[in-house]
């Protein structure tokens, strides 16, 4: 009732203020209490609301007055054009996957799993323990907490076959998220103006990081089983590149997973060319019907630079990742990171380590596998029933996304607009191509909120596609 009364008083006073001259004095609190038959607390709430809106100001010992409204004038930033000059490399626009949308929208666009798929209990407990420990007040080593370095090294080492030397903890550099790791790797190992081979389609953040680093991206087409080794070898030969970025397990956006034969073939090409493979294992924790097998587990000569993130599987608030690199490449990456951010928050590192070393972490991952499978299958079934025009070439064996090809001539801009007007948010596929798109595609995330709305979302997409053809 008090909230209703204070709102009513604020509305009446707002009407009075609109007609009053700047600097006019408001009636005293005692007068307002008598006029509106309200308590002093209720009147003060109304006045505080108007103060927050910038309509009134209080002068202690004097009273409350109507605040003068400053006339707005257009800002002139023309001088910055001359100061900044032309950008060295045009940066792609922000990805549609980072948009915040209304809670009642059916969201297929986001790149992050829904909160109910996160280990919330483990995360909260980890932060509580980390806040009580030394990590909350001390500066961690530049390369990361030794215990977390050991965890990352041990995880990759567990999949290393006999005869291959597993990584050491000293090969690990802890990062504030994999995105910053990509920027450092491209800058440190390729360098501005140099060629970088990149799967196409690929992660939009890698395209952005490449533009930021000023490298020259050379697309290499990649299918359900990975890139053609002969095409990759030809690209190395023709461009002189020494760096190839790829996602061998559950690629974003396609969900593709390289076969064992393809992993060996690509590694052979990289070795023969004296080059690096930057392996982005962002979806390591999101296997559904298969398990991820890192290419890095087959290499002990420093050809594979392995990037492993915990941000999506643990919590978006725990931006912790690691790069495992051997030899001089590791030192160059570490030097670039030190220049960029010096070190990663020890509190976040301690919390991340706490989560992944709890017995409940493996229990969570087993449950997550089943939840992702049911969500994926529901979306696939819904699309095949309500939007058969959206062709799914491959049902992913892991990851978070479906990649659907649309009929030739589809107007993607109109489609996304029509879907959004129907309450469905989708991501057009063009931003996952480092060069011209190879067709009309959409990426649909099946790990978002409210999976029960997937059939309705698919129906709206199908209707929008039908209108798009007319």
């Amino acid at each position: 009732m008090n909230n209703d009364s204070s709102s009513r008083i604020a509305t009446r006073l707002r009407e009075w203020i609109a007609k009053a001259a700047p600097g006019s004095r408001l009636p005293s609190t005692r007068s307002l209490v008598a006029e509106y038959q309200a308590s002093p607390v209720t009147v003060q709430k109304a006045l505080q609301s108007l103060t927050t809106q910038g309509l009134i100001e209080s002068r202690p010992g004097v009273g409350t007055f109507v605040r003068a409204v400053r006339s707005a004038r257009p800002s002139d930033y023309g001088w910055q054009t001359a100061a900044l000059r032309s950008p060295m490399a045009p940066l792609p626009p922000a990805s549609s996957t980072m948009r915040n949308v209304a809670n009642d929208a059916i969201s297929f666009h986001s790149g992050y799993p829904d909160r109910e798929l996160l280990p919330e209990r483990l995360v909260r407990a980890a932060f509580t323990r980390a806040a009580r420990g030394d990590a909350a007040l001390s500066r961690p080593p530049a390369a990361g907490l030794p215990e977390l370095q050991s965890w990352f090294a041990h995880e990759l080492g567990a999949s290393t076959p006999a005869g291959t030397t597993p990584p050491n903890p000293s090969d690990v550099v802890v990062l504030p998220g994999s995105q910053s790791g990509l920027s450092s790797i491209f800058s440190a190992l390729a360098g501005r103006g140099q060629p970088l081979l990149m799967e196409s389609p690929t992660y939009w953040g890698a395209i952005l990081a490449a533009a930021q680093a000023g490298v020259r991206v050379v697309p290499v087409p990649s299918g359900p089983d990975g890139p053609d080794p002969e095409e990759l070898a030809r690209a190395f030969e023709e461009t002189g590149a020494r760096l190839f970025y790829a996602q061998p397990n559950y690629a974003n956006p396609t969900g593709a997973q390289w076969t064992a034969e393809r992993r060996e073939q690509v590694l052979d090409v990289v070795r023969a060319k004296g080059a690096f493979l930057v392996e982005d294992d962002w979806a390591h924790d999101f296997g559904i019907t298969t398990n991820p097998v890192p290419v890095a587990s087959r290499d002990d000569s420093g050809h594979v630079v392995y990037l492993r993130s915990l941000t999506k599987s643990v919590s978006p608030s725990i931006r912790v990742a690691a790069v495992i690199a051997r030899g001089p490449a590791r030192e160059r990456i570490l030097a670039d990171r030190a220049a960029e951010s010096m070190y990663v928050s020890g509190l976040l590192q301690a919390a991340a380590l706490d989560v992944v070393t709890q017995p409940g972490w493996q229990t969570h991952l087993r449950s997550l596998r089943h939840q992702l499978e049911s969500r994926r299958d529901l979306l696939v079934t819904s699309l095949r029933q309500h939007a058969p025009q959206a062709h799914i070439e491959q049902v992913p064996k892991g990851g978070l996304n479906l990649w659907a090809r649309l009929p030739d001539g589809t107007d993607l801009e109109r489609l996304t607009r029509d879907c959004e007007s129907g309450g469905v948010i989708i991501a057009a596929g063009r931003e996952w191509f480092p060069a011209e798109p190879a067709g009309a595609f959409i990426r649909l995330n099946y790990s978002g909120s409210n999976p029960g709305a997937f059939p309705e979302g698919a129906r709206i997409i199908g209707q929008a596609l039908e209108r798009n053809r007319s």
Side-chain angles (χ1 to χ4, degrees), residues 53-333:
Q53 297 171 40
L55 297 178
I56 60 175
E57 59 184 353
S58 178
R59 301 173 191 171
V62 180
T64 304
F65 300 84
V66 176
R67 190 172 183 180
V69 179
R70 296 180 180 179
S71 58
R73 63 176 182 179
S75 300
D76 182 9
Y77 303 119
W79 67 271
Q80 293 190 7
T81 301
L84 294 173
R85 306 295 182 190
S86 297
M88 297 189 68
L91 296 180
S95 171
S96 62
T97 64
M98 302 299 291
R99 288 181 56 194
N100 291 325
V101 299
N103 291 334
D104 59 349
I106 303 174
S107 301
F108 291 127
H109 72 296
S110 177
Y112 288 84
D114 186 46
R115 179 171 169 173
E116 69 177 25
L117 298 178
L118 301 178
E120 182 171 344
R121 181 182 58 82
L122 296 180
V123 169
R124 292 188 181 280
F127 268 119
T128 300
R129 285 189 286 266
R132 293 198 298 257
D134 293 339
L137 297 171
S138 58
R139 179 183 65 81
L145 294 178
E147 300 86 352
L148 188 56
Q149 288 180 291
S150 295
W151 183 85
F152 278 114
H154 176 75
E155 185 193 57
L156 181 58
S159 59
T160 300
T164 301
T165 304
N168 293 312
S170 59
D171 297 324
V172 178
V173 177
V174 178
L175 308 165
S178 60
Q179 187 65 32
S180 63
L182 288 174
S183 298
S184 290
I185 292 168
F186 296 162
S187 296
L189 303 188
R192 189 167 293 276
Q194 297 303 307
L196 165 68
L197 305 186
M198 186 176 284
E199 281 185 301
S200 181
T202 192
Y203 169 46
W204 66 266
I207 301 172
L208 179 63
Q212 181 67 42
V215 298
R216 179 167 55 87
V217 174
V218 179
V220 176
S222 190
D225 298 324
D228 184 328
E230 293 184 2
E231 287 287 342
L232 179 61
R234 185 180 302 114
F236 272 121
E237 190 68 32
E238 291 177 351
T239 64
R242 289 295 176 264
L243 208 62
F244 173 45
Y245 169 81
Q247 304 167 82
N249 289 296
Y250 321 132
N252 179 8
T254 63
Q257 183 180 34
W258 296 3
T259 62
E261 181 183 16
R262 188 57 51 87
R263 290 194 297 268
E264 293 296 333
Q265 290 171 333
V266 169
L267 191 52
D268 287 344
V269 170
V270 170
R271 287 169 173 160
K273 299 301 179 182
F276 294 98
L277 166 65
V278 180
E279 179 180 11
D280 188 347
D281 199 12
W282 72 275
H284 187 88
D285 298 320
F286 299 132
I288 295 178
T289 56
T290 62
N291 294 316
V293 181
V295 179
S297 66
R298 314 290 297 186
D299 172 65
D300 56 9
S301 54
H303 284 285
V304 181
V305 176
Y306 178 72
L307 195 59
R308 165 78 161 99
S309 176
L310 296 175
T311 301
K312 284 186 170 64
S313 54
V314 173
S315 168
S317 294
I318 299 182
R319 291 197 59 77
V320 171
V323 59
I324 299 180
R326 310 193 196 196
R330 188 256 190 194
E331 303 310 313
R332 291 200 181 187
I333 295 169

Side-chain angles (χ1 to χ4, degrees), residues 383-392 404-408 410 440 442 458-459 461-469:
L383 287 171
R384 287 175 174 168
Q385 178 179 357
H386 299 292
Q389 312 94 315
H391 176 66
I392 302 169
R405 180 160 195 152
L406 307 180
D408 292 342
T410 298
I442 55 174
R459 185 187 65 79
I461 293 173
Q463 292 176 343
L465 281 169
E466 283 295 333
R467 290 194 299 270
N468 204 277
R469 295 172 62 183

Side-chain angles (χ1 to χ4, degrees), residues 5-17 26-40 42-43 46-47 50:
S5 298
S6 65
S7 298
R8 176 175 55 84
I9 295 170
T11 300
R12 296 286 298 276
L13 288 176
R14 197 179 296 110
E15 295 171 355
W16 182 88
I17 291 168
L26 271 71
S28 67
T29 300
R30 181 177 298 178
S31 299
L32 294 174
V33 167
E35 180 180 353
Y36 292 105
Q37 295 295 300
S39 70
T42 301
V43 170
L47 294 175
L50 296 173

Side-chain angles (χ1 to χ4, degrees), residues 226 240 366:
R366 286 191 291 271

